[in-house]
Structures are given as structure tokens and as C-alpha cells.
Amino acid sequence: MSKTVADVMQLVSEENVKFIDFRFTDTRGKEQHLSVPASAFEADRFESGQAFDGSSIAGWKGIEASDMLLMPDPNTAYIDPFYEEPTLVLVCDVVEPSDGKGYERDPRSLAKRAQAYLKSTGLGDTAYFGPEPEFFIFDSVQWGVDMSGSFVKVNSEEAPWSSGKEYEHGNTGHRPNVKGGYFPVAPVDTFQDMRSEMCLLLEQLGVPVEVHHHEVAGEGQNEIGTKFSTLVQRADWTQILKYVVHNVAHTYGKTATFMPKPIVGDNGSGMHVHQSIWKDGQNLFAGHGYAGLSEFALYYIGGIIKHARALNAITNPTTNSYKRLVPGFEAPVKLAYSARNRSASIRIPHVSSPKGRRIETRFPDPMANPYLAFSALLMAGLDGVQNKLHPGEAADKNLYDLPPEEDKKIPTVCASLDEALYHLDQDREFLTRGGVFTDSMLDAYIELKMAELTRFRMTTHPIEFDMYYSL
């Protein structure tokens, strides 16, 4: 049920709230926040907004034009479960004070423009998204990068490499093998109670939970499945999920990460994204074609396949993302679709009802900013529908084990972040329709990511010593 401004003000009073926490998401996908005392918070703040300096947010305004407003959405209100003092959280849009419009580089405002664009096309009125972000929980992690060298060290009692270690409480020996985490019961699975606590908190904060379990990697990889929703709300929920996962792990003295590939030699973390388009209460993806799909859905798939390499810059936005997307290692790198074949980058899940008919895009990872990623996927799919881009025949063979002559015919996702940024720069027109993404925003995004890439390129890696030191 939607919350009104009056509901929020009543909540502040009933819960004896001491602080209001205004939150927004930056370009990289990290939530930022500022807090004001409840004594300084009145109902008119929902119209006047909260001022802040946008010049310190990476990829946003320069110092010469830095004044911005946070415009809170009353429907997002919840009591933070981690803070010592009672604190009400409000998720905000970032607004230009000069015209009151959503800032072009604000991810949440952009996602709202994507929803509005869908309606303006007449093709549909609602886009549903259901992401499945995986994550790792470690005991601790250390890293260092300076002129003297670099290192990273992951500590995980659950990890297979810990079988020979001595612990004060003893080493029980119950742990998953490499790729053996999916999904034995306790004591092999050591994270049941922690995941359950995360789920109860998510439900308390208004995010419906459907399932939780250990994932394949044997070093604390987990997944919490939450319900699908509309584009902006589902992105809001994804940010809440990340916040809860990070903070519950922290309260247990552990550390959680959504990095796609923190461990060498075991499975990486993806974020499969389920999608469907509806109009007048009807699922437009349901039909009588392949796997029960409509022609609309097939064209939508065609759009995602056509623009996949540009999408990679947004759905797989880190250098680490491409350590997961490596051909030949069970990663969804092949740009094909299938009802049964999990090696295809787009899968059509089996459902018992046409209402549940949807597609699952499997190449995204949880480093993606959900507001940007869902919007970009929608824009690519709509381009496919508008231009009737049929994706060709479904791929029901095992794409990991094709003869070389067949393998060459199937396109793949990008192999690196720089390749993805190149394709985004060259193939951006579909994103800019309706002013959803702007050229200015995309230029700033590419510049931000190129800075990450340059830092990565310039840093000497330990494996280079292993390969080249004695040559």
C-alpha cells in the first residue's frame, strides 16, 4: 500500500524518530545519504526538498553549478534497522533547483523517464523486473596497492582452502568443495541463520522475499530471491537488499561483497534480470510462439541481443565484471536465447501460467546500478519491438560444447570494460530516445568508467611477475 506524506509524518511521531536520512544513488550505484534532526523536518520538505552539494558526487556537476535538491518519495519511507537512534529513511530523486526537473544524471530520475517513455510509445504501460543478485560473505579481506607492490587476501573459514587451518574453536571439516556450495544443509552451509535474518529484515522493510539459499561457490556465496516489481520500485528494493546484506554481515563480524569475481577458480556472482512488459493488465510476452512467447517478446529479445555489447558497459560496469564473462567457463557469454539452455545469455523460464511468461537476461552482474541497468535493458528491448528485430532461431544445444564452425556464428558479449565502453559510445541512440539517457550523461558515464580503466591498466599485477619476471 502506498504511503502518503501524512503517513510518513505519523510514522515519525509514532516511532519517536530522531533523524531523517535522505538517500540517493550515485552513478556507480552506491547509495549516498545525509541526515537531518526530526525537529528540523516538516511536511513541506516533500515539496521544497533538501539542498546538498552535488559537485562531490563522481560524474556529476562541477563546483561552479553544484546546488542540487533531494526530493524525498514518501512511498519509500522505512525505519532503519541498524542505526542506534530511531532514523527514518527516505529515498530521493535528485532535482535541479532551477527548473524542478529530475537531474539528467540522477539514476532514479532517469529510471522514471524510462517508465514514462514506455507509456509514451503506446507499446505498453508497465515494465516488470526481477533481478537475482548473488553475493559473497567472507570472514575478512585485506588488500593493498602502492609503489612497493600489491596484494589481496580473502579469509573464509567456509572456503575449501581452510580445511587444513587450525582454529581456536576447532576445525570441524564441514565445508563445501570448490563449486560445491549449491546447496548442502548445515553444517556445510554456515550462513543459514544470517540469510534468514537478512530475509526477515527485508520483509520488515517492505521487500517481499521468495527464497534464500547458498550458491555454487564454496567460499560463502549466497543468494536471496525477492519478488519482481515495477522498474523504479524494483531498483529501490535492490538498493535496500544490498544495504541489508552489507550491514547484517557487518553485525556478524563478517564482510559481504557484490563483486562479480572476487575468487579465482570458483563461480562468480551474476545478477540475472527477469523482464516482462504489460499493457491494460495483459502480459505482452505471453503468446503461442517458441516456449510460449509472443512475437512482441521475441522482438524484445532481438533488441537486447542487438545492443548487448553497448548494454555491457551498464550491466557489467567494472573491470572485475569481465573476469566472470569468460568463454568456456560456464558464463552466459553467448548472445542467444533458449527455454532450457542455461548457457544462453537469455533464458525463457518455465512457467505454469501465461501471466508468468518472461525472459531472463543472464549476463548482468550485481555491480550494475539497478536504475541504469533496468532502464537500459528496457530501452534495448523496446528498440527491438519498434524495429521488429527477430532474434532468429532458439539455441537448444549446449553452447559450451559446439564445434568451432558453429561456435563462430554465435555472437558474444564484450570481453573487457574498454570494449564495452567503445560499443556504448558507438551505439547509444536507442538509449537517448525520449530523453531517457542524455548524451551528456553518457559522456560523463564513459569518462568516469575510463578513469577506473586507466587506473587498472597502469597498476602492475602480481600475475605479471608470475608470467614474466624470469624471462
Side-chain angles (χ1 to χ4, degrees), residues 304-316:
I304 290 179
I305 289 176
K306 177 186 176 182
H307 298 296
R309 293 187 172 194
L311 290 172
N312 285 153
I314 296 170
T315 60
N316 309 88

Side-chain angles (χ1 to χ4, degrees), residues 80 146 165 182 188 200 205 270 306 315 329 393 412 443 448:
D80 190 285
D146 59 31
K165 290 186 177 180
Y182 190 87
V188 175
L200 291 173
L205 302 183
K306 177 186 176 182
T315 60
F329 288 90
E393 294 301 313
T412 63
D443 289 341
L448 185 69

Side-chain angles (χ1 to χ4, degrees), residues 191-269:
F191 291 99
Q192 173 74 22
D193 289 339
M194 197 186 303
R195 289 194 310 270
S196 293
E197 183 171 333
M198 292 170 179
C199 291
L200 291 173
L201 283 176
L202 285 167
E203 294 269 0
Q204 178 184 314
L205 302 183
V207 182
V209 175
E210 296 182 327
V211 67
H212 76 80
H213 56 82
H214 203 290
E215 260 297 342
V216 173
E219 302 81 20
Q221 190 184 34
N222 294 273
E223 183 180 331
I224 295 173
T226 50
K227 193 175 181 180
F228 71 91
S229 189
T230 52
L231 193 158
V232 173
Q233 183 173 68
R234 188 52 264 197
D236 289 344
W237 287 357
T238 302
Q239 296 299 76
I240 294 173
L241 184 147
K242 285 187 170 184
Y243 181 69
V244 167
V245 167
H246 278 136
N247 281 280
V248 170
H250 191 69
T251 61
Y252 275 77
K254 308 284 188 182
T255 177
T257 180
F258 288 85
M259 279 180 69
K261 195 69 173 173
I263 300 294
V264 178
D266 214 331
N267 278 37
S269 291

Side-chain angles (χ1 to χ4, degrees), residues 9 12 16-20 35-42 45 86:
M9 299 311 294
V12 170
N16 195 26
V17 165
K18 295 292 191 288
F19 292 93
I20 313 299
S35 300
V36 301
S39 59
F41 180 77
E42 301 291 343
R45 197 68 66 91

Side-chain angles (χ1 to χ4, degrees), residues 79-253:
I79 302 297
D80 190 285
F82 302 106
Y83 289 161
E84 187 80 17
E85 297 295 340
T87 301
L88 181 90
V89 174
L90 289 169
V91 178
C92 302
D93 297 330
V94 179
V95 168
E96 288 273 16
S98 58
D99 59 13
K101 294 181 180 178
Y103 178 43
E104 63 166 350
R105 300 183 192 179
D106 168 39
R108 195 170 191 266
S109 297
L110 187 152
K112 285 187 170 182
R113 293 196 297 271
Q115 287 188 148
Y117 176 72
L118 168 63
K119 291 181 180 178
S120 75
T121 64
L123 294 172
D125 53 42
T126 309
Y128 286 114
F129 286 80
E132 300 175 338
E134 298 165 335
F135 55 93
F136 282 87
I137 302 172
F138 302 133
D139 295 338
S140 65
V141 60
Q142 299 90 35
W143 68 83
V145 182
D146 59 31
M147 291 175 70
S148 69
S150 60
F151 77 96
V152 61
K153 182 68 177 175
V154 171
N155 300 294
S156 168
E157 188 172 343
E158 194 189 70
W161 66 71
S162 297
S163 60
K165 290 186 177 180
E166 290 189 12
Y167 293 97
E168 281 188 25
H169 53 272
N171 191 330
T172 64
H174 296 292
R175 54 179 51 84
N177 293 318
V178 174
K179 299 185 184 295
Y182 190 87
F183 30 41
V185 297
V188 175
D189 176 5
T190 62
F191 291 99
Q192 173 74 22
D193 289 339
M194 197 186 303
R195 289 194 310 270
S196 293
E197 183 171 333
M198 292 170 179
C199 291
L200 291 173
L201 283 176
L202 285 167
E203 294 269 0
Q204 178 184 314
L205 302 183
V207 182
V209 175
E210 296 182 327
V211 67
H212 76 80
H213 56 82
H214 203 290
E215 260 297 342
V216 173
E219 302 81 20
Q221 190 184 34
N222 294 273
E223 183 180 331
I224 295 173
T226 50
K227 193 175 181 180
F228 71 91
S229 189
T230 52
L231 193 158
V232 173
Q233 183 173 68
R234 188 52 264 197
D236 289 344
W237 287 357
T238 302
Q239 296 299 76
I240 294 173
L241 184 147
K242 285 187 170 184
Y243 181 69
V244 167
V245 167
H246 278 136
N247 281 280
V248 170
H250 191 69
T251 61
Y252 275 77

